Amino acid sequence: MYVIACCFIGGYVDAQVITLKDKGGSTPGTWYCFRNTVDVDETPREVELAIAADSKYWLWVNGVLQVREGGLKRGPNPQDTYCDNLTSLPALKKGRNTIAILVWYFGKNGFSHRTSPTPGVTFDLKVNRSEVTPSVPWKVREHPAFYVPAGERPNYRLPESNIGFDASRDIRFTAMDYDDSRWDEAVVLSLEEAGWNRLVPRPIPQWRDYGLKSYVRTEWKDTVLYAGLPYNAQVTPYLRVKAEAGKRIRILTDNYRGGSEPNVFAEYVTKAGEQTFECLGWMNGHTVIYHIPQGVEVLEAKYRETGYDASFAGSFVCDDPMLNTLWNKSQRTLYITMRDTYMDCPDRERAQWWGDVVNELGEAFYALDEKAHRLTRKGIRELMDWQRADSTIYAPVPSGNYDSELPMQMLASVSYYGFWTYYLGTGDSATIEYVYPKVKKYMHVWKTDSRGLIIPRKGGWTWGDWGDNKDMTLLFNQWYIIALAGYRCMAGLVGDAGEASWAAATARRMRVAFHEAYWNGRYYVSSGYEGDPDDRAQALAVVSGTLPKDLYPVLRPFFLNHHHASPYMEKYVLQALCTMGYHQDALNRMKSRYKAMIDSPLTTLWEGWGIGAEGFGGGSYNHAWSGGPLTILSQYIAGIETLTPAFETFRVSPNPAHLNHIRAVVPLSGGREICLTLDKDHDSCSIVLEVPQGTVAHFRMPAGYTSMKLNGEDCDVSEKVLPAGKWVLEGYIVGI
């Protein structure tokens, strides 16, 4: 419904902040109402509205809701504030228009938000390219029905408060005929006076609203209503009840303690009679739980799913049900960990940890439509715009109460699998050019010793992965080599030949020195390390190009016997097996390690190999970093991989292993799709490949086939360059 406008003077929006006179009395979790009228001289044909809030807003025009939960958590950098820029207000008309805005002021910091000292809103409207200015001052008041309920507060990582709503104190302030004459006049502050600084245009879409829906099942247990969702989703629960006044209903989900610590709940206090309530703050889980007191009759229970505005455009289906389930759960996990930012989890933290983001951004190319990559671009710019004066970077950002660098996650972010993978998938050179000078500073924070090996940096949290047996020396060196690979490519793109040459030479020297120092004839191990050898480190040595190819058979048995990686780093283990050509080993290990998650009735993947006390880091059951198998199945088993930016040329090299059927769809920009259908039996393989307009495929038949047909004509089994169109390729094993 809403289109994001991207044309602003100097890239920023100029505005004033509408707020209350005594903003110093604002407490966290307070809700404010703003009202005014505007006169429009002509029928609106073009509308431009710049509207920002600390922290979230709901906008009505003439009593009709126009934006549900607008605004983004602060900030694009440590000082500034995001601003929504709307180009459609369907309820706006010629003549007098009533504007009503509800603002939720978080008022506290979190791992995804830096608060300002000023609750308020901006409202700068143009109609048919002419400024529309309210003729009277804005009116403001605190909404009397909202409160912060007693009980556990969300853990310190979340800026959101629990939401209470007393229906007996509600006001109809969105109605056109509402009398606001007794409200206070708002004051107007400059952006600097408000502590908002510059307004940065919102870089991602407004949320997708799936509408109110009935639950898939409901069950009463005493006075508790359990309402089942079809899958793990971001929802705002809804109730229609008949009740006496003063009855207190509490609403939460089965995931209230997701990741071990409380997130959010809602509380509703009834008025007398029939009434409806929808909680405005989202929560997530598989089941919404309503605690219904005596004297309340539930007439209807529903939920509204909202989420990031991207479609499930990609797919992978094969004849192994376990792998299908795993791919689909990975896709669902990716989606629920997207909103204001990429998140590690939608429960405990809602925070943009970059180890997670690296896995997420790679999955997005195979799972979601092109709008998903706008969230990646936002995250890349945020990470580098929060760079400190000493050139270090840290995550999660945006943040008001976390500032510790996790050195290996930061190396992963700027690495080949981070920023450069984003560029390869999108062709967005402008973003790389923007962040490159900052990446350059960070890369040179790191130093090497006399052998050419990296000198580990403690950072704020010297974290390599959850779990045990982490050979940190190996991991530090390998992550820097992989970061150098991405940096070399970025330097080449922006024309910094000297840095590209330095990065290539440094990486070559490190690979040689690393192999000489740490290879013991069977695997890598650092001097003085006393744990079981680390599967993560071996995997990174493969994907970084450090392990010589002639040693692939030597290392292969290692991965059968060592299983220390968390689901985060397991992605690189599976990738390493595929890189070495052992695709069946990768599928076997994938099915074994993920079996509990595959078999679980939960629709999302877990932070660790178990849940709760059996997991890592709090045991969240929906964690973004666990979806690596999605990338492995689409990129290495279906074999679809970009060669030049934005998939203008791409490789199709299927490696079906034990699979006899694969159907894969990879979404491209403009609604285009790469479609692959593979069917094989004991001596033949048939592949139908649809190459979209504007692209070229480099196709290679799976290994082992000695003859081949292309669209029914005999040809050799060498790589084929296929322009846009539909191609039928058949491979045969002659002599069987």
Side-chain angles (χ1 to χ4, degrees), residues 442-480:
Y442 183 64
M443 290 298 294
H444 287 286
V445 167
W446 294 81
K447 307 299 179 185
T448 55
D449 63 19
S450 60
R451 299 172 296 174
L453 294 173
I454 205 69
I455 299 172
R457 296 180 53 254
K458 183 178 180 180
W461 182 9
T462 314
W463 187 91
D465 188 20
W466 288 139
D468 301 320
N469 299 297
K470 297 180 290 289
D471 194 331
M472 299 293 278
T473 298
L474 301 186
L475 292 173
F476 268 116
N477 277 276
Q478 284 303 314
W479 274 124
Y480 194 70

Short mmCIF file of all heavy atoms in Angstrom, two decimals, residues 442-480:
data_model
loop_
_atom_site.label_atom_id
_atom_site.label_comp_id
_atom_site.label_asym_id
_atom_site.label_seq_id
_atom_site.Cartn_x
_atom_site.Cartn_y
_atom_site.Cartn_z
N TYR A 442 39.11 -0.54 9.30
CA TYR A 442 38.99 -1.69 10.21
C TYR A 442 39.99 -2.79 9.86
O TYR A 442 40.60 -3.39 10.76
CB TYR A 442 37.57 -2.25 10.19
CG TYR A 442 37.41 -3.39 11.17
CD1 TYR A 442 37.55 -3.17 12.54
CD2 TYR A 442 37.15 -4.68 10.74
CE1 TYR A 442 37.43 -4.20 13.45
CE2 TYR A 442 37.03 -5.73 11.65
CZ TYR A 442 37.18 -5.48 13.00
OH TYR A 442 37.07 -6.51 13.91
N MET A 443 40.17 -3.07 8.58
CA MET A 443 41.10 -4.14 8.20
C MET A 443 42.51 -3.85 8.70
O MET A 443 43.25 -4.77 9.07
CB MET A 443 41.09 -4.32 6.69
CG MET A 443 39.80 -4.91 6.14
SD MET A 443 39.45 -6.58 6.76
CE MET A 443 40.80 -7.51 6.05
N HIS A 444 42.86 -2.58 8.75
CA HIS A 444 44.22 -2.24 9.17
C HIS A 444 44.35 -2.06 10.68
O HIS A 444 45.45 -1.76 11.18
CB HIS A 444 44.71 -1.01 8.42
CG HIS A 444 45.01 -1.29 6.98
ND1 HIS A 444 46.13 -1.98 6.58
CD2 HIS A 444 44.31 -1.03 5.85
CE1 HIS A 444 46.14 -2.10 5.27
NE2 HIS A 444 45.03 -1.54 4.79
N VAL A 445 43.26 -2.26 11.41
CA VAL A 445 43.37 -2.38 12.87
C VAL A 445 44.14 -3.65 13.22
O VAL A 445 44.85 -3.70 14.23
CB VAL A 445 41.96 -2.40 13.51
CG1 VAL A 445 42.03 -2.84 14.97
CG2 VAL A 445 41.31 -1.02 13.40
N TRP A 446 44.01 -4.67 12.39
CA TRP A 446 44.63 -5.97 12.63
C TRP A 446 46.09 -5.97 12.19
O TRP A 446 46.44 -5.36 11.18
CB TRP A 446 43.86 -7.06 11.89
CG TRP A 446 42.46 -7.24 12.42
CD1 TRP A 446 41.36 -6.49 12.11
CD2 TRP A 446 42.04 -8.21 13.36
NE1 TRP A 446 40.27 -6.94 12.80
CE2 TRP A 446 40.65 -8.00 13.57
CE3 TRP A 446 42.69 -9.25 14.03
CZ2 TRP A 446 39.91 -8.80 14.45
CZ3 TRP A 446 41.95 -10.04 14.90
CH2 TRP A 446 40.58 -9.80 15.10
N LYS A 447 46.92 -6.71 12.92
CA LYS A 447 48.35 -6.78 12.62
C LYS A 447 48.79 -8.24 12.54
O LYS A 447 48.18 -9.13 13.16
CB LYS A 447 49.18 -6.06 13.69
CG LYS A 447 48.75 -4.62 13.96
CD LYS A 447 48.87 -3.74 12.72
CE LYS A 447 48.42 -2.31 13.02
NZ LYS A 447 48.41 -1.46 11.79
N THR A 448 49.86 -8.48 11.79
CA THR A 448 50.42 -9.83 11.68
C THR A 448 51.78 -9.87 12.36
O THR A 448 52.45 -8.85 12.55
CB THR A 448 50.57 -10.25 10.21
OG1 THR A 448 51.34 -9.27 9.50
CG2 THR A 448 49.21 -10.37 9.55
N ASP A 449 52.19 -11.11 12.72
CA ASP A 449 53.49 -11.28 13.37
C ASP A 449 54.57 -11.52 12.32
O ASP A 449 54.32 -11.42 11.11
CB ASP A 449 53.43 -12.39 14.41
CG ASP A 449 53.11 -13.77 13.81
OD1 ASP A 449 53.28 -13.95 12.58
OD2 ASP A 449 52.69 -14.67 14.57
N SER A 450 55.75 -11.87 12.77
CA SER A 450 56.89 -12.04 11.86
C SER A 450 56.70 -13.17 10.88
O SER A 450 57.31 -13.19 9.81
CB SER A 450 58.17 -12.25 12.67
OG SER A 450 58.05 -13.42 13.49
N ARG A 451 55.83 -14.13 11.23
CA ARG A 451 55.56 -15.24 10.31
C ARG A 451 54.50 -14.89 9.28
O ARG A 451 54.28 -15.64 8.33
CB ARG A 451 55.10 -16.47 11.11
CG ARG A 451 56.10 -17.02 12.10
CD ARG A 451 55.47 -18.10 12.97
NE ARG A 451 54.38 -17.55 13.79
CZ ARG A 451 53.57 -18.28 14.56
NH1 ARG A 451 53.71 -19.61 14.57
NH2 ARG A 451 52.64 -17.71 15.28
N GLY A 452 53.81 -13.78 9.51
CA GLY A 452 52.71 -13.42 8.63
C GLY A 452 51.36 -13.86 9.15
O GLY A 452 50.35 -13.73 8.45
N LEU A 453 51.32 -14.39 10.38
CA LEU A 453 50.05 -14.84 10.97
C LEU A 453 49.43 -13.73 11.80
O LEU A 453 50.13 -12.85 12.32
CB LEU A 453 50.29 -16.08 11.83
CG LEU A 453 50.75 -17.31 11.04
CD1 LEU A 453 51.14 -18.45 11.98
CD2 LEU A 453 49.66 -17.78 10.07
N ILE A 454 48.13 -13.78 11.93
CA ILE A 454 47.41 -12.71 12.59
C ILE A 454 47.70 -12.70 14.09
O ILE A 454 47.88 -13.76 14.71
CB ILE A 454 45.89 -12.82 12.34
CG1 ILE A 454 45.21 -11.45 12.47
CG2 ILE A 454 45.23 -13.80 13.30
CD1 ILE A 454 45.57 -10.49 11.36
N ILE A 455 47.78 -11.51 14.64
CA ILE A 455 47.90 -11.36 16.09
C ILE A 455 46.49 -11.22 16.65
O ILE A 455 45.80 -10.24 16.35
CB ILE A 455 48.74 -10.12 16.45
CG1 ILE A 455 50.16 -10.26 15.87
CG2 ILE A 455 48.79 -9.92 17.96
CD1 ILE A 455 51.00 -9.01 16.00
N PRO A 456 45.99 -12.20 17.41
CA PRO A 456 44.61 -12.15 17.89
C PRO A 456 44.33 -10.88 18.69
O PRO A 456 45.20 -10.36 19.40
CB PRO A 456 44.50 -13.40 18.77
CG PRO A 456 45.52 -14.34 18.21
CD PRO A 456 46.66 -13.46 17.80
N ARG A 457 43.12 -10.39 18.55
CA ARG A 457 42.66 -9.22 19.29
C ARG A 457 41.53 -9.66 20.21
O ARG A 457 40.58 -10.30 19.78
CB ARG A 457 42.16 -8.13 18.33
CG ARG A 457 43.24 -7.58 17.42
CD ARG A 457 42.69 -6.49 16.48
NE ARG A 457 41.99 -5.46 17.24
CZ ARG A 457 40.66 -5.32 17.28
NH1 ARG A 457 39.88 -6.15 16.60
NH2 ARG A 457 40.10 -4.37 17.99
N LYS A 458 41.65 -9.27 21.46
CA LYS A 458 40.65 -9.69 22.44
C LYS A 458 39.29 -9.08 22.16
O LYS A 458 38.26 -9.74 22.29
CB LYS A 458 41.12 -9.30 23.85
CG LYS A 458 40.17 -9.77 24.95
CD LYS A 458 40.71 -9.39 26.32
CE LYS A 458 39.77 -9.85 27.42
NZ LYS A 458 40.28 -9.49 28.78
N GLY A 459 39.26 -7.79 21.75
CA GLY A 459 37.98 -7.11 21.57
C GLY A 459 37.24 -6.96 22.88
O GLY A 459 37.82 -7.03 23.96
N GLY A 460 35.92 -6.79 22.78
CA GLY A 460 35.12 -6.69 24.00
C GLY A 460 34.66 -8.04 24.49
O GLY A 460 34.39 -8.23 25.68
N TRP A 461 34.56 -9.00 23.57
CA TRP A 461 34.14 -10.36 23.92
C TRP A 461 34.82 -11.29 22.92
O TRP A 461 34.47 -11.30 21.75
CB TRP A 461 32.61 -10.47 23.84
CG TRP A 461 32.06 -11.82 24.22
CD1 TRP A 461 32.72 -12.88 24.76
CD2 TRP A 461 30.70 -12.26 24.05
NE1 TRP A 461 31.88 -13.94 24.95
CE2 TRP A 461 30.62 -13.59 24.53
CE3 TRP A 461 29.54 -11.66 23.55
CZ2 TRP A 461 29.44 -14.33 24.51
CZ3 TRP A 461 28.37 -12.39 23.53
CH2 TRP A 461 28.32 -13.70 24.01
N THR A 462 35.78 -12.05 23.40
CA THR A 462 36.55 -12.92 22.51
C THR A 462 35.76 -14.20 22.28
O THR A 462 36.02 -15.24 22.89
CB THR A 462 37.94 -13.22 23.12
OG1 THR A 462 38.50 -12.00 23.59
CG2 THR A 462 38.86 -13.81 22.07
N TRP A 463 34.82 -14.11 21.37
CA TRP A 463 33.84 -15.17 21.14
C TRP A 463 34.09 -15.79 19.77
O TRP A 463 34.19 -15.09 18.76
CB TRP A 463 32.43 -14.58 21.20
CG TRP A 463 31.29 -15.55 21.15
CD1 TRP A 463 30.67 -16.13 22.20
CD2 TRP A 463 30.61 -16.01 19.98
NE1 TRP A 463 29.65 -16.94 21.76
CE2 TRP A 463 29.59 -16.88 20.40
CE3 TRP A 463 30.77 -15.77 18.61
CZ2 TRP A 463 28.73 -17.52 19.50
CZ3 TRP A 463 29.93 -16.41 17.72
CH2 TRP A 463 28.92 -17.27 18.17
N GLY A 464 34.19 -17.12 19.72
CA GLY A 464 34.39 -17.80 18.45
C GLY A 464 33.20 -18.59 17.99
O GLY A 464 32.97 -18.77 16.79
N ASP A 465 32.42 -19.07 18.95
CA ASP A 465 31.22 -19.86 18.67
C ASP A 465 30.71 -20.33 20.02
O ASP A 465 31.44 -20.33 21.02
CB ASP A 465 31.57 -21.07 17.78
CG ASP A 465 30.34 -21.83 17.29
OD1 ASP A 465 29.23 -21.24 17.30
OD2 ASP A 465 30.48 -23.00 16.89
N TRP A 466 29.43 -20.73 20.08
CA TRP A 466 28.98 -21.46 21.25
C TRP A 466 29.63 -22.85 21.25
O TRP A 466 30.08 -23.33 20.21
CB TRP A 466 27.47 -21.63 21.25
CG TRP A 466 26.64 -20.40 21.53
CD1 TRP A 466 25.49 -20.04 20.89
CD2 TRP A 466 26.86 -19.40 22.54
NE1 TRP A 466 24.98 -18.88 21.42
CE2 TRP A 466 25.80 -18.46 22.44
CE3 TRP A 466 27.83 -19.20 23.51
CZ2 TRP A 466 25.69 -17.35 23.27
CZ3 TRP A 466 27.72 -18.08 24.34
CH2 TRP A 466 26.67 -17.19 24.21
N GLY A 467 29.63 -23.48 22.39
CA GLY A 467 30.13 -24.84 22.49
C GLY A 467 31.58 -24.90 22.93
O GLY A 467 32.21 -23.90 23.28
N ASP A 468 32.12 -26.10 22.89
CA ASP A 468 33.46 -26.37 23.39
C ASP A 468 34.43 -26.61 22.24
O ASP A 468 34.06 -26.67 21.07
CB ASP A 468 33.44 -27.60 24.30
CG ASP A 468 32.51 -27.41 25.50
OD1 ASP A 468 32.50 -26.29 26.05
OD2 ASP A 468 31.79 -28.37 25.85
N ASN A 469 35.70 -26.79 22.63
CA ASN A 469 36.76 -27.18 21.71
C ASN A 469 36.92 -26.20 20.55
O ASN A 469 36.98 -26.58 19.38
CB ASN A 469 36.52 -28.61 21.19
CG ASN A 469 36.51 -29.62 22.31
OD1 ASN A 469 37.52 -29.81 22.99
ND2 ASN A 469 35.36 -30.25 22.54
N LYS A 470 37.02 -24.95 20.90
CA LYS A 470 37.28 -23.89 19.92
C LYS A 470 38.78 -23.62 19.91
O LYS A 470 39.35 -23.18 20.91
CB LYS A 470 36.51 -22.62 20.27
CG LYS A 470 35.00 -22.79 20.25
CD LYS A 470 34.28 -21.50 20.61
CE LYS A 470 34.44 -21.13 22.07
NZ LYS A 470 33.68 -22.03 22.96
N ASP A 471 39.42 -23.86 18.80
CA ASP A 471 40.83 -23.54 18.65
C ASP A 471 40.91 -22.09 18.16
O ASP A 471 40.90 -21.80 16.96
CB ASP A 471 41.48 -24.49 17.65
CG ASP A 471 43.00 -24.43 17.69
OD1 ASP A 471 43.54 -23.36 18.03
OD2 ASP A 471 43.65 -25.45 17.36
N MET A 472 40.98 -21.15 19.11
CA MET A 472 40.81 -19.74 18.81
C MET A 472 41.92 -19.19 17.90
O MET A 472 41.67 -18.32 17.06
CB MET A 472 40.73 -18.93 20.10
CG MET A 472 39.56 -19.33 21.00
SD MET A 472 37.96 -18.92 20.27
CE MET A 472 37.83 -17.19 20.71
N THR A 473 43.12 -19.69 18.06
CA THR A 473 44.21 -19.22 17.20
C THR A 473 43.91 -19.53 15.74
O THR A 473 44.09 -18.68 14.86
CB THR A 473 45.54 -19.87 17.61
OG1 THR A 473 45.86 -19.49 18.95
CG2 THR A 473 46.67 -19.46 16.69
N LEU A 474 43.46 -20.75 15.49
CA LEU A 474 43.10 -21.11 14.12
C LEU A 474 41.95 -20.26 13.61
O LEU A 474 41.97 -19.79 12.47
CB LEU A 474 42.71 -22.59 14.04
CG LEU A 474 43.74 -23.63 14.48
CD1 LEU A 474 43.23 -25.03 14.19
CD2 LEU A 474 45.09 -23.39 13.80
N LEU A 475 40.95 -20.06 14.44
CA LEU A 475 39.76 -19.32 14.01
C LEU A 475 40.10 -17.86 13.70
O LEU A 475 39.63 -17.31 12.69
CB LEU A 475 38.68 -19.40 15.09
CG LEU A 475 38.06 -20.78 15.30
CD1 LEU A 475 37.12 -20.77 16.50
CD2 LEU A 475 37.31 -21.25 14.06
N PHE A 476 40.90 -17.22 14.54
CA PHE A 476 41.29 -15.84 14.27
C PHE A 476 41.97 -15.72 12.90
O PHE A 476 41.65 -14.84 12.09
CB PHE A 476 42.25 -15.33 15.35
CG PHE A 476 41.58 -14.64 16.50
CD1 PHE A 476 41.63 -15.16 17.77
CD2 PHE A 476 40.90 -13.44 16.30
CE1 PHE A 476 41.03 -14.52 18.85
CE2 PHE A 476 40.29 -12.79 17.37
CZ PHE A 476 40.35 -13.33 18.64
N ASN A 477 42.91 -16.61 12.64
CA ASN A 477 43.66 -16.53 11.38
C ASN A 477 42.77 -16.80 10.18
O ASN A 477 42.85 -16.10 9.16
CB ASN A 477 44.83 -17.51 11.40
CG ASN A 477 46.04 -16.95 12.12
OD1 ASN A 477 46.85 -16.23 11.53
ND2 ASN A 477 46.17 -17.27 13.40
N GLN A 478 41.92 -17.79 10.29
CA GLN A 478 41.08 -18.12 9.14
C GLN A 478 40.04 -17.03 8.86
O GLN A 478 39.78 -16.71 7.70
CB GLN A 478 40.40 -19.47 9.37
CG GLN A 478 41.32 -20.64 9.17
CD GLN A 478 41.95 -20.65 7.78
OE1 GLN A 478 41.27 -20.45 6.78
NE2 GLN A 478 43.26 -20.85 7.72
N TRP A 479 39.45 -16.45 9.89
CA TRP A 479 38.49 -15.39 9.64
C TRP A 479 39.17 -14.18 8.99
O TRP A 479 38.57 -13.50 8.14
CB TRP A 479 37.77 -14.98 10.92
CG TRP A 479 36.56 -15.81 11.21
CD1 TRP A 479 36.29 -16.51 12.35
CD2 TRP A 479 35.42 -16.01 10.36
NE1 TRP A 479 35.06 -17.14 12.26
CE2 TRP A 479 34.52 -16.85 11.04
CE3 TRP A 479 35.09 -15.58 9.08
CZ2 TRP A 479 33.30 -17.26 10.48
CZ3 TRP A 479 33.89 -15.98 8.51
CH2 TRP A 479 33.00 -16.81 9.21
N TYR A 480 40.41 -13.92 9.37
CA TYR A 480 41.08 -12.78 8.73
C TYR A 480 41.40 -13.07 7.27
O TYR A 480 41.28 -12.19 6.40
CB TYR A 480 42.36 -12.40 9.50
CG TYR A 480 42.87 -11.03 9.07
CD1 TYR A 480 42.18 -9.88 9.41
CD2 TYR A 480 44.03 -10.90 8.32
CE1 TYR A 480 42.62 -8.62 9.01
CE2 TYR A 480 44.50 -9.64 7.92
CZ TYR A 480 43.78 -8.51 8.26
OH TYR A 480 44.21 -7.27 7.86
#
